[in-house]
C-alpha cells in the first residue's frame, strides 16, 4: 500500500493487508520503513495475550489504536485512543484481547531483554 488514507485505516481496510513477523504473536505491516533519519510508520497486530517486553523510546512514539485494546503500565487504551510516548520513556505493552495499532517511531526502540541476551 503506497499511501494509506485515514478512511482505509479506520474503516477496517487494514484487514486485507499482509502482515509479517515482528515479535512473538505480534505481526507488522510497514507503511514506511525507517530510512535514514525518517521515522518508521507501521501497523502492528497483536494476537490475544501478545506482548512486547519493556523497552525505552529513543525518539517520540505515537500510537492510534484502530481495533481492540492495547495496554501498558499506565492503563488500557481502547479503539480510537491516541497515545504519545516521549523520548526516554520506558514501558512494556500487551493486549489481553488482541488489537491493531497504527504506530510511528522517530527512532527504533531499545528492547531491554535483548541487552542481556
Amino acid at each position: 500500500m503506497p499511501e494509506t488514507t485515514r478512511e482505509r485505516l479506520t474503516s477496517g481496510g487494514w484487514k486485507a493487508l499482509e502482515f509479517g513477523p515482528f515479535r512473538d504473536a505480534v505481526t507488522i505491516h510497514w507503511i514506511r520503513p525507517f530510512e535514514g533519519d525518517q521515522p518508521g510508520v507501521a501497523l502492528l497486530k497483536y494476537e490475544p495475550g501478545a506482548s512486547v517486553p519493556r523497552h525505552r523510546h529513543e525518539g517520540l512514539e505515537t500510537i492510534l489504536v484502530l481495533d481492540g485494546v492495547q495496554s501498558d503500565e499506565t492503563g488500557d487504551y481502547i479503539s480510537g485512543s491516541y497515545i504519545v510516548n516521549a523520548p526516554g520513556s520506558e514501558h512494556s505493552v500487551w493486549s489481553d484481547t488482541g488489537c491493531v495499532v497504527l504506530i510511528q517511531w522517530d527512532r527504533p526502540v531499545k528492547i531491554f531483554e535483548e541487552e542481556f541476551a
Side-chain angles (χ1 to χ4, degrees):
M1 170 176 1
E3 292 295 325
T4 304
T5 64
R6 179 175 51 188
E7 292 78 21
R8 286 193 67 190
L9 290 175
T10 58
S11 68
W14 54 265
K15 293 175 184 174
L17 300 174
E18 286 191 38
F19 285 75
F22 182 66
R23 298 199 65 81
D24 187 34
V26 181
T27 54
I28 190 166
H29 173 84
W30 284 103
I31 295 171
R32 296 220 170 155
F34 290 106
E35 188 174 312
D37 285 342
Q38 297 301 305
V41 181
L43 296 170
L44 294 180
K45 186 182 341 178
Y46 291 70
E47 297 301 320
S51 64
V52 174
R54 189 160 189 82
H55 56 276
R56 179 178 53 248
H57 296 277
E58 302 296 327
L60 182 70
E61 174 187 74
T62 57
I63 299 169
L64 176 63
V65 180
L66 299 176
D67 188 58
V69 180
Q70 185 184 67
S71 302
D72 69 11
E73 292 84 356
T74 61
D76 299 322
Y77 305 97
I78 63 170
S79 182
S81 296
Y82 181 70
I83 306 153
V84 177
N85 292 305
S89 63
E90 300 176 5
H91 68 152
S92 55
V93 180
W94 63 90
S95 181
D96 293 334
T97 60
C99 67
V100 175
V101 301
L102 171 66
I103 187 166
Q104 178 174 324
W105 301 278
D106 281 352
R107 301 279 180 269
V109 300
K110 178 70 173 177
I111 303 287
F112 290 131
E113 76 175 15
E114 293 173 354
E115 289 181 355
F116 307 106

